[in-house]
Amino acid sequence: MIRVFLVDDQALVRSGFRMLIEAEDDIEVVGEASDGAEAVATLTADPADVVLMDIRMPVMDGVEATRRIVRAELGTRVLVLTTFDLDEYVFAALKAGASGFMLKDARPEELLSAIRDVAAGDAVVAPSATRRLLDHVVPTLPAAPVSGPDPRLDVLTDRELEVLTEIASGATNSEIGARLYMAEGTVKTHIGRLLSKLQARDRVSLVLFAYETGIAGR
């Protein structure tokens, strides 16, 4: 069973997520918290597999809670749930170590799939959400360093840079393959090399790197 912990300051939202999740045979809700501080304290004592994390909450927000959960190395992965009016927090949450983000208006099947993917160790930057969210998030990102290109870019081939740019746009592996005229298996190979060369944790880290270094369009 995938053990899920819900963090949201709205009881009705938590109730809705609980009903959705507990209808599944392979996922269960093992706890809830109404703020980040409560979540950190509870998960430190009894870690879950996946946390569904709201961002704006009293006492401690989702960004700081995510940072503390990740630093504690509990084996718990964080999936941030956000709405457009909270876009300014998304970048900070991902930098804090979240394994991805979903929009709160995502379809039930998308959320359940995201939970399973994150539990399996994958990162979730939902393509449909990425394309829409980046339009709002990108203006808030720090500018590329003025001292010159990031030296890590020197180790990447032109093809890897192309793949990285596509990842940052929110393209799926199949879409990347179609745009760059390569098999999906080849795309996965390039992504694996990018993760290794850039010492990136996951696909989310690649998106952040692309924007931090300025190689993705602003």
Side-chain angles (χ1 to χ4, degrees):
M1 294 288 286
I2 299 172
R3 305 172 74 250
V4 175
F5 192 90
L6 308 176
V7 189
D8 197 294
D9 62 338
Q10 298 183 42
L12 187 60
V13 172
R14 298 197 307 271
S15 177
F17 286 144
R18 179 181 283 273
M19 291 178 62
L20 172 66
I21 290 169
E22 293 194 336
E24 301 299 301
D25 295 332
D26 60 331
I27 313 175
E28 62 178 344
V29 175
V30 296
E32 301 181 10
S34 59
D35 64 71
E38 181 185 356
V40 172
T42 304
L43 289 165
T44 299
D46 185 19
D49 298 314
V50 177
V51 177
L52 295 188
M53 181 74 75
D54 189 21
I55 292 294
R56 181 174 290 174
M57 297 178 291
V59 185
M60 181 187 293
D61 66 26
V63 174
E64 181 60 26
T66 295
R67 184 178 296 110
R68 296 191 185 193
I69 290 168
V70 172
R71 285 181 177 175
E73 298 184 347
L74 305 172
T76 298
R77 296 172 67 83
V78 179
L79 177 59
V80 171
L81 299 177
T82 185
T83 52
F84 282 144
D85 62 322
L86 302 182
D87 287 342
E88 67 270 24
Y89 295 95
V90 173
F91 178 73
L94 297 179
K95 286 289 289 181
S99 294
F101 64 82
M102 294 287 290
L103 299 181
K104 280 189 174 180
D105 63 356
R107 295 193 304 272
E109 60 270 23
E110 291 177 331
L111 178 59
L112 294 170
S113 176
I115 291 172
R116 293 184 176 101
D117 288 344
V118 167
D122 293 331
V124 175
V125 185
S128 59
T130 306
R131 294 188 185 95
R132 293 153 61 193
L133 269 170
L134 286 178
D135 289 339
H136 296 262
V137 176
V138 170
T140 73
L141 301 185
V146 296
S147 58
D150 190 301
R152 288 175 293 176
L153 294 174
D154 294 338
V155 304
L156 303 182
T157 66
D158 290 342
R159 201 57 159 168
E160 288 164 352
L161 285 171
E162 290 177 334
V163 171
L164 180 58
T165 301
E166 293 293 340
I167 290 172
S169 76
T172 64
N173 289 356
S174 60
E175 289 171 338
I176 295 172
R179 293 174 186 176
L180 301 181
Y181 305 102
M182 64 175 71
E184 190 169 345
T186 304
V187 174
K188 292 179 180 178
T189 297
H190 283 303
I191 293 174
R193 290 174 179 164
L194 284 167
L195 292 170
S196 176
K197 288 183 177 182
L198 299 176
Q199 297 183 329
R201 184 180 69 249
D202 48 37
R203 197 181 187 102
V204 173
S205 300
L206 293 178
V207 173
L208 296 179
F209 176 83
Y211 278 93
E212 286 181 316
T213 55
I215 69 168
R218 289 181 180 270

